[in-house]
Amino acid sequence: CRNHISTRSFKEGLNRLLFRVVDESNNEAIYNRSFYVDSKIPKISSTEPKDGFSSGLFKIAFIEDNPKELILKYGNSQTGVRNKSLNISSSCLSTAKDTTCQTQVDLSNYDEQQIQYWFELKDIANNLVLSPQKTLMVDYSAPNVQSFDGYANGKFGYFTLLIEEEN
């Protein structure tokens, strides 16, 4: 025959096809083709911190068999919004249930400011999902202990600390 047309569905993930063509003289040609099928949209299960304060540690859990790109976006209009790309192969742990990732960023420029953060996840089919945007306060500085006084009375100790800390 000169051509052949057929339709077929393929499974999710990597598919490998081998085409073998033989002419009337038994000359043979082989063609290998591989391609991915990714029809499922990525799903972000959770992000942390959920609320309150952040000192720079961020976490995400998602469900996606073929993640390609994961970006943490954080900041505010006052100081600026920054991006941090996560290396999925080294920053993440995959289980049968989901994939969890964590990263640490320097928030010192945002100390005592309110920031927003969210994650952007893209798969190999370029399906893009965003996590809900969350608002947090940044507390990057340690409490300031201005004075410390104490004494022991038998088996008990009594201490007085004067601490300066906004939060």
Side-chain angles (χ1 to χ4, degrees), residues 35-107:
F35 59 92
Y36 278 94
V37 172
D38 190 353
S39 62
K40 296 178 183 174
I41 303 295
K43 180 181 181 205
I44 295 176
S45 309
S46 66
T47 60
E48 290 182 25
K50 296 198 179 302
D51 54 19
F53 293 88
S54 178
S55 61
L57 181 64
F58 294 91
K59 297 179 183 179
I60 182 173
F62 63 85
I63 300 168
E64 171 57 44
D65 291 333
N66 304 298
K68 181 170 96 173
E69 186 176 67
L70 180 60
I71 299 172
L72 167 65
K73 298 206 172 203
Y74 62 96
N76 57 33
S77 59
Q78 179 182 351
T79 307
V81 176
R82 296 189 178 136
N83 301 331
K84 178 164 185 193
S85 293
L86 282 77
N87 183 331
I88 296 172
S89 61
S90 65
S91 300
C92 303
L93 176 64
S94 293
T95 65
K97 180 182 158 192
D98 64 7
T99 300
T100 57
C101 313
Q102 72 177 33
T103 189
Q104 182 77 36
V105 296
D106 180 4
L107 295 178

Side-chain angles (χ1 to χ4, degrees), residues 149-167:
D149 190 22
Y151 65 93
N153 185 1
K155 63 180 183 176
F156 295 100
Y158 299 91
F159 303 98
T160 304
L161 289 91
L162 180 58
I163 301 169
E164 183 180 320
E165 169 61 32
E166 183 103 4
N167 303 308

Side-chain angles (χ1 to χ4, degrees), residues 123-138:
D123 67 11
I124 60 170
N126 286 326
N127 295 312
L128 176 69
V129 292
L130 307 176
S131 69
Q133 201 173 95
K134 294 188 179 170
T135 301
L136 305 166
M137 283 298 295
V138 175

Side-chain angles (χ1 to χ4, degrees), residues 2-68:
R2 298 215 180 272
N3 62 42
H4 177 75
I5 298 174
S6 177
T7 59
R8 175 164 194 240
S9 63
F10 294 94
K11 64 181 170 100
E12 291 284 317
L14 180 63
N15 289 273
R16 293 187 177 115
L17 299 177
L18 175 97
F19 295 95
R20 184 173 156 256
V21 181
V22 180
D23 67 13
E24 291 179 6
S25 299
N26 279 336
N27 296 313
E28 182 179 85
I30 306 271
Y31 294 94
N32 286 304
R33 295 293 182 253
S34 298
F35 59 92
Y36 278 94
V37 172
D38 190 353
S39 62
K40 296 178 183 174
I41 303 295
K43 180 181 181 205
I44 295 176
S45 309
S46 66
T47 60
E48 290 182 25
K50 296 198 179 302
D51 54 19
F53 293 88
S54 178
S55 61
L57 181 64
F58 294 91
K59 297 179 183 179
I60 182 173
F62 63 85
I63 300 168
E64 171 57 44
D65 291 333
N66 304 298
K68 181 170 96 173

